[in-house]
Amino acid sequence: MPPSIPHDLLTSLSIESHHLVLDRRGSTVWDIVTGSGRYALKLGYPVAATPEWPGQHWTAFAPGREAAVLAHLDTQHVASGYWEKGTWNIQPWHEGPDLQHLWTHSRTDGTPPDVQTAMECAGALADLHKAGWAHGDVQPAHFLIGPDRTHLIDLALAHGKPVPEAVDFPFKGCLVHYEAPEISAAVLDEGHAAPSQAADVYGLGATLLMAATGKRAVIYPDDAPRPAQRAAIVAGNRRAVTMPGPMGPLVVEMLRYAPQDRPTITEAVSQLAELT
Ligand SMILES: Nc1ncnc2c1ncn2[C@@H]1O[C@H](COP(=O)(O)OP(=O)(O)O)[C@@H](O)[C@H]1O
Ligand SMILES: [Mg+2]
Protein backbone atom coordinates (compact mmCIF):
# COMPACT_ATOMS: atom_id res chain seq x y z
CA MET A 1 0.00 0.00 0.00
CA PRO A 2 1.42 3.46 -0.83
CA PRO A 3 2.23 5.45 2.31
CA SER A 4 -0.11 8.17 3.48
CA ILE A 5 -0.02 10.81 6.20
CA PRO A 6 -2.21 9.84 9.17
CA HIS A 7 -5.48 11.79 9.07
CA ASP A 8 -4.95 13.17 12.60
CA LEU A 9 -1.66 14.76 11.54
CA LEU A 10 -3.12 16.18 8.32
CA THR A 11 -5.63 18.11 10.39
CA SER A 12 -3.62 18.91 13.55
CA LEU A 13 -0.70 20.30 11.51
CA SER A 14 -3.09 22.07 9.07
CA ILE A 15 -1.29 20.51 6.11
CA GLU A 16 -2.38 22.30 2.91
CA SER A 17 -0.36 20.27 0.42
CA HIS A 18 2.09 17.40 0.62
CA HIS A 19 4.18 15.16 -1.54
CA LEU A 20 6.22 12.10 -0.79
CA VAL A 21 10.02 12.53 -0.76
CA LEU A 22 10.98 8.99 0.14
CA ASP A 23 9.72 5.85 1.77
CA ARG A 24 12.28 3.28 2.78
CA ARG A 25 13.11 0.88 5.57
CA GLY A 26 11.56 2.46 8.65
CA SER A 27 11.24 6.07 7.47
CA THR A 28 8.81 8.07 5.35
CA VAL A 29 9.64 11.70 4.52
CA TRP A 30 7.12 14.20 3.12
CA ASP A 31 7.54 17.72 1.78
CA ILE A 32 4.58 19.55 3.33
CA VAL A 33 3.15 23.06 3.28
CA THR A 34 1.14 24.26 6.26
CA GLY A 35 -0.35 27.66 7.09
CA SER A 36 3.03 28.63 8.57
CA GLY A 37 5.40 27.48 5.82
CA ARG A 38 7.20 24.56 4.20
CA TYR A 39 8.48 21.65 6.30
CA ALA A 40 9.91 18.16 6.10
CA LEU A 41 7.61 15.69 7.86
CA LYS A 42 9.32 12.49 8.95
CA LEU A 43 7.39 9.43 10.10
CA GLY A 44 9.26 6.53 11.71
CA TYR A 45 8.00 2.96 11.97
CA PRO A 46 9.53 -0.39 12.98
CA VAL A 47 11.03 -2.60 10.27
CA ALA A 48 9.88 -6.22 10.13
CA ALA A 49 12.51 -8.93 9.66
CA THR A 50 12.98 -10.29 6.11
CA PRO A 51 15.28 -13.08 4.86
CA GLU A 52 17.87 -10.38 3.93
CA TRP A 53 17.51 -8.03 6.90
CA PRO A 54 17.01 -8.46 10.62
CA GLY A 55 14.01 -6.59 12.03
CA GLN A 56 14.68 -3.28 13.75
CA HIS A 57 12.68 -1.14 16.11
CA TRP A 58 14.86 1.94 16.49
CA THR A 59 13.62 3.43 13.21
CA ALA A 60 10.24 3.99 14.91
CA PHE A 61 11.94 6.26 17.46
CA ALA A 62 14.32 8.08 15.11
CA PRO A 63 12.11 11.15 14.35
CA GLY A 64 11.38 11.62 18.06
CA ARG A 65 15.06 11.31 18.91
CA GLU A 66 16.01 13.75 16.14
CA ALA A 67 13.48 16.28 17.48
CA ALA A 68 15.13 16.03 20.93
CA VAL A 69 18.55 16.73 19.36
CA LEU A 70 17.15 19.67 17.37
CA ALA A 71 15.63 21.07 20.59
CA HIS A 72 19.08 20.99 22.26
CA LEU A 73 20.41 22.91 19.25
CA ASP A 74 17.63 25.50 19.59
CA THR A 75 16.38 24.80 16.09
CA GLN A 76 13.19 26.77 15.56
CA HIS A 77 9.89 25.47 14.14
CA VAL A 78 10.37 21.83 15.13
CA ALA A 79 7.50 19.73 16.46
CA SER A 80 7.20 16.02 17.20
CA GLY A 81 4.92 13.40 18.62
CA TYR A 82 3.69 9.83 18.36
CA TRP A 83 1.56 8.20 15.70
CA GLU A 84 0.16 4.68 15.40
CA LYS A 85 3.48 3.06 14.42
CA GLY A 86 6.14 5.24 16.03
CA THR A 87 7.28 8.86 16.25
CA TRP A 88 7.07 11.78 13.80
CA ASN A 89 8.68 15.19 13.53
CA ILE A 90 8.43 18.28 11.39
CA GLN A 91 11.37 20.58 10.76
CA PRO A 92 11.98 23.51 8.40
CA TRP A 93 12.34 22.50 4.75
CA HIS A 94 15.82 23.19 3.37
CA GLU A 95 16.44 23.70 -0.32
CA GLY A 96 18.91 21.34 -1.98
CA PRO A 97 20.45 19.88 -4.02
CA ASP A 98 22.37 17.47 -1.83
CA LEU A 99 26.12 17.05 -2.34
CA GLN A 100 25.82 13.82 -4.35
CA HIS A 101 23.54 15.54 -6.87
CA LEU A 102 25.47 18.80 -6.92
CA TRP A 103 28.71 17.05 -7.84
CA THR A 104 27.22 14.80 -10.55
CA HIS A 105 29.40 16.51 -13.16
CA SER A 106 32.56 15.67 -11.23
CA ARG A 107 31.66 12.00 -11.49
CA THR A 108 30.51 12.04 -15.09
CA ASP A 109 32.72 14.49 -16.99
CA GLY A 110 35.57 15.19 -14.58
CA THR A 111 34.57 18.74 -13.59
CA PRO A 112 36.81 19.47 -10.56
CA PRO A 113 34.90 19.33 -7.25
CA ASP A 114 34.37 22.82 -5.94
CA VAL A 115 36.35 23.74 -2.80
CA GLN A 116 33.85 26.38 -1.68
CA THR A 117 31.07 23.79 -1.49
CA ALA A 118 33.32 21.37 0.43
CA MET A 119 34.12 24.20 2.84
CA GLU A 120 30.43 24.90 3.41
CA CYS A 121 29.77 21.23 4.16
CA ALA A 122 32.73 21.16 6.56
CA GLY A 123 31.45 24.41 8.10
CA ALA A 124 28.02 22.88 8.77
CA LEU A 125 29.68 19.91 10.49
CA ALA A 126 31.97 22.29 12.42
CA ASP A 127 28.93 24.16 13.79
CA LEU A 128 27.52 20.88 15.12
CA HIS A 129 30.86 19.90 16.67
CA LYS A 130 31.23 23.32 18.31
CA ALA A 131 27.82 22.82 19.91
CA GLY A 132 29.21 19.65 21.53
CA TRP A 133 27.75 16.99 19.23
CA ALA A 134 28.93 14.21 16.96
CA HIS A 135 26.60 13.59 13.98
CA GLY A 136 27.13 9.82 13.62
CA ASP A 137 25.71 9.52 10.07
CA VAL A 138 27.71 11.81 7.78
CA GLN A 139 26.98 11.02 4.10
CA PRO A 140 26.53 13.00 0.84
CA ALA A 141 22.70 12.92 1.02
CA HIS A 142 22.78 14.67 4.39
CA PHE A 143 24.39 17.89 3.10
CA LEU A 144 21.79 20.15 1.46
CA ILE A 145 23.49 22.96 -0.42
CA GLY A 146 20.86 25.67 -0.63
CA PRO A 147 21.01 29.10 -2.22
CA ASP A 148 21.54 30.81 1.16
CA ARG A 149 23.39 28.25 3.20
CA THR A 150 24.33 24.61 3.57
CA HIS A 151 22.50 22.41 6.08
CA LEU A 152 23.58 19.13 7.60
CA ILE A 153 20.39 17.11 8.13
CA ASP A 154 19.32 13.84 9.76
CA LEU A 155 20.39 14.27 13.36
CA ALA A 156 18.59 11.11 14.54
CA LEU A 157 21.87 9.38 15.45
CA ALA A 158 23.72 12.40 16.86
CA HIS A 159 25.28 12.10 20.31
CA GLY A 160 26.39 14.84 22.68
CA LYS A 161 23.75 15.61 25.28
CA PRO A 162 21.09 13.48 26.97
CA VAL A 163 17.88 12.73 25.08
CA PRO A 164 14.69 11.36 26.69
CA GLU A 165 14.89 7.63 27.35
CA ALA A 166 11.52 7.11 25.62
CA VAL A 167 13.04 7.96 22.22
CA ASP A 168 16.66 6.89 22.77
CA PHE A 169 18.30 3.82 21.23
CA PRO A 170 21.86 2.50 20.89
CA PHE A 171 24.03 3.62 17.96
CA LYS A 172 24.71 0.57 15.82
CA GLY A 173 26.85 2.20 13.16
CA CYS A 174 25.96 4.11 10.01
CA LEU A 175 26.03 3.62 6.26
CA VAL A 176 29.23 1.58 6.05
CA HIS A 177 30.71 3.47 3.05
CA TYR A 178 31.22 6.39 5.43
CA GLU A 179 31.94 4.48 8.63
CA ALA A 180 35.29 5.01 10.36
CA PRO A 181 37.32 1.86 11.17
CA GLU A 182 37.01 2.30 14.96
CA ILE A 183 33.21 2.47 14.63
CA SER A 184 33.13 -0.66 12.43
CA ALA A 185 35.39 -2.48 14.93
CA ALA A 186 33.15 -1.56 17.89
CA VAL A 187 29.98 -2.58 16.03
CA LEU A 188 31.54 -5.95 15.12
CA ASP A 189 32.87 -6.55 18.65
CA GLU A 190 30.07 -5.18 20.80
CA GLY A 191 27.06 -4.66 18.51
CA HIS A 192 27.11 -0.91 19.14
CA ALA A 193 29.50 2.05 19.09
CA ALA A 194 29.85 5.66 20.20
CA PRO A 195 29.65 8.31 17.47
CA SER A 196 32.61 10.69 17.70
CA GLN A 197 33.76 13.89 16.09
CA ALA A 198 36.87 12.13 14.72
CA ALA A 199 34.63 9.51 13.09
CA ASP A 200 32.56 12.36 11.58
CA VAL A 201 35.75 13.81 10.04
CA TYR A 202 36.45 10.41 8.46
CA GLY A 203 32.81 10.36 7.29
CA LEU A 204 33.24 13.77 5.67
CA GLY A 205 36.43 12.61 3.91
CA ALA A 206 34.57 9.55 2.57
CA THR A 207 31.61 11.78 1.64
CA LEU A 208 33.74 14.21 -0.40
CA LEU A 209 35.50 11.30 -2.11
CA MET A 210 32.22 9.55 -2.97
CA ALA A 211 30.45 12.67 -4.24
CA ALA A 212 33.46 13.68 -6.37
CA THR A 213 34.47 10.27 -7.76
CA GLY A 214 31.62 7.82 -7.14
CA LYS A 215 34.15 5.56 -5.40
CA ARG A 216 34.18 4.22 -1.88
CA ALA A 217 37.30 4.63 0.25
CA VAL A 218 37.45 0.90 1.10
CA ILE A 219 37.51 -2.23 -1.07
CA TYR A 220 34.60 -4.66 -0.55
CA PRO A 221 31.98 -6.13 -2.87
CA ASP A 222 28.78 -4.04 -2.93
CA ASP A 223 26.70 -7.12 -2.18
CA ALA A 224 28.91 -8.35 0.69
CA PRO A 225 27.01 -8.82 3.95
CA ARG A 226 27.32 -5.89 6.35
CA PRO A 227 29.72 -7.73 8.76
CA ALA A 228 32.04 -8.58 5.84
CA GLN A 229 32.03 -4.93 4.73
CA ARG A 230 32.86 -3.84 8.28
CA ALA A 231 35.63 -6.45 8.50
CA ALA A 232 37.18 -5.01 5.29
CA ILE A 233 37.07 -1.52 6.82
CA VAL A 234 38.76 -2.77 10.00
CA ALA A 235 41.39 -4.65 7.94
CA GLY A 236 42.20 -1.34 6.25
CA ASN A 237 41.63 -2.59 2.67
CA ARG A 238 41.93 0.89 1.23
CA ARG A 239 41.27 1.67 -2.39
CA ALA A 240 43.86 3.52 -4.44
CA VAL A 241 41.42 6.32 -5.22
CA THR A 242 42.17 9.95 -4.66
CA MET A 243 40.17 13.11 -4.50
CA PRO A 244 40.93 15.07 -7.68
CA GLY A 245 42.22 18.62 -7.40
CA PRO A 246 43.69 20.58 -4.52
CA MET A 247 41.58 18.88 -1.82
CA GLY A 248 43.35 15.52 -2.42
CA PRO A 249 45.92 15.72 0.41
CA LEU A 250 43.37 16.95 2.98
CA VAL A 251 40.95 14.11 2.15
CA VAL A 252 43.83 11.63 2.67
CA GLU A 253 44.37 13.12 6.15
CA MET A 254 40.65 12.97 6.96
CA LEU A 255 40.57 9.29 6.04
CA ARG A 256 43.51 8.32 8.30
CA TYR A 257 42.94 4.97 10.00
CA ALA A 258 43.68 6.15 13.55
CA PRO A 259 41.22 8.77 14.82
CA GLN A 260 43.97 10.80 16.50
CA ASP A 261 45.81 11.15 13.16
CA ARG A 262 42.87 12.95 11.50
CA PRO A 263 42.50 16.73 11.49
CA THR A 264 39.74 18.22 13.64
CA ILE A 265 36.85 19.71 11.69
CA THR A 266 38.11 23.21 12.59
CA GLU A 267 41.51 22.37 11.09
CA ALA A 268 39.81 20.94 8.01
CA VAL A 269 37.73 24.11 7.55
CA SER A 270 40.80 26.36 7.79
CA GLN A 271 42.75 24.19 5.34
CA LEU A 272 39.84 24.37 2.90
CA ALA A 273 39.70 28.14 3.37
CA GLU A 274 43.34 28.35 2.30
CA LEU A 275 42.49 26.44 -0.88
CA THR A 276 39.64 28.71 -1.96
N1 LIG B 1 14.76 19.41 6.55
C1 LIG B 1 14.77 18.87 5.32
N2 LIG B 1 14.68 19.66 4.23
C2 LIG B 1 14.64 19.14 2.99
N3 LIG B 1 14.72 17.83 2.72
C3 LIG B 1 14.81 16.98 3.76
C4 LIG B 1 14.85 17.45 5.11
N4 LIG B 1 14.94 16.38 5.92
C5 LIG B 1 14.97 15.31 5.12
N5 LIG B 1 14.89 15.66 3.82
C6 LIG B 1 14.89 14.77 2.63
O1 LIG B 1 14.53 13.46 3.01
C7 LIG B 1 15.62 12.56 2.84
C8 LIG B 1 15.69 11.61 4.03
O2 LIG B 1 15.81 12.38 5.20
P1 LIG B 1 16.71 11.92 6.40
O3 LIG B 1 16.65 13.02 7.40
O4 LIG B 1 18.05 11.50 5.93
O5 LIG B 1 15.89 10.70 6.99
P2 LIG B 1 16.14 9.13 7.09
O6 LIG B 1 17.52 8.83 6.60
O7 LIG B 1 15.98 8.89 8.53
O8 LIG B 1 15.07 8.55 6.28
C9 LIG B 1 16.84 13.45 2.72
O9 LIG B 1 17.86 12.83 1.98
C10 LIG B 1 16.26 14.67 2.02
O10 LIG B 1 16.08 14.40 0.65
MG1 LIG C 1 19.20 9.84 6.40
Side-chain angles (χ1 to χ4, degrees):
M1 224 175 47
S4 59
I5 298 178
H7 187 74
D8 288 1
L9 274 179
L10 274 178
T11 52
S12 66
L13 295 172
S14 308
I15 297 177
E16 292 170 1
S17 65
H18 58 274
H19 76 259
L20 186 63
V21 178
L22 66 80
D23 178 39
R24 63 172 173 217
R25 291 174 45 78
S27 168
T28 310
V29 181
W30 299 84
D31 173 1
I32 64 166
V33 174
T34 77
S36 61
R38 191 175 178 192
Y39 298 90
L41 166 64
K42 299 174 65 171
L43 292 158
Y45 58 91
V47 176
T50 68
E52 290 85 37
W53 299 91
Q56 56 189 27
H57 286 281
W58 65 266
T59 47
F61 301 106
R65 193 178 186 286
E66 180 180 39
V69 175
L70 291 169
H72 273 298
L73 293 166
D74 287 332
T75 307
Q76 302 297 298
H77 312 295
V78 174
S80 67
Y82 289 87
W83 67 295
E84 194 193 331
K85 294 185 181 169
T87 61
W88 59 267
N89 77 42
I90 59 167
Q91 53 187 285
W93 181 264
H94 303 304
E95 291 293 336
D98 67 36
L99 186 66
Q100 191 72 10
H101 284 102
L102 189 67
W103 281 3
T104 300
H105 284 294
S106 295
R107 299 191 300 279
T108 53
D109 60 25
T111 305
D114 152 48
V115 178
Q116 180 67 31
T117 301
M119 193 173 79
E120 282 171 28
C121 294
L125 183 58
D127 288 345
L128 189 69
H129 286 187
K130 277 182 221 143
W133 291 83
H135 185 280
D137 195 10
V138 173
Q139 52 174 279
H142 289 161
F143 290 99
L144 298 183
I145 295 97
D148 304 325
R149 55 162 291 193
T150 293
H151 288 96
L152 174 54
I153 59 162
D154 200 356
L155 295 165
L157 305 184
H159 277 241
K161 291 176 186 166
V163 296
E165 223 171 282
V167 292
D168 204 7
F169 49 82
F171 175 69
K172 296 193 171 175
C174 57
L175 200 52
V176 287
H177 302 344
Y178 312 102
E179 194 170 270
E182 68 276 16
I183 301 285
S184 297
V187 172
L188 286 176
D189 291 350
E190 293 150 48
H192 56 88
S196 71
Q197 296 186 345
D200 282 352
V201 168
Y202 178 99
L204 181 61
T207 289
L208 296 172
L209 188 65
M210 174 63 88
T213 68
K215 303 259 167 53
R216 285 186 265 102
V218 176
I219 302 170
Y220 50 71
D222 274 328
D223 55 0
R226 214 62 81 69
Q229 295 181 345
R230 291 201 158 101
I233 295 169
V234 174
N237 295 339
R238 289 295 301 280
R239 244 195 186 143
V241 49
T242 47
M243 180 79 177
M247 291 186 275
L250 173 60
V251 169
V252 168
E253 295 303 311
M254 295 171 92
L255 289 171
R256 290 271 174 224
Y257 192 90
Q260 66 275 13
D261 292 345
R262 298 174 203 143
T264 65
I265 195 66
T266 313
E267 288 163 353
V269 170
S270 47
Q271 288 185 38
L272 287 166
E274 281 173 26
L275 298 175
T276 54

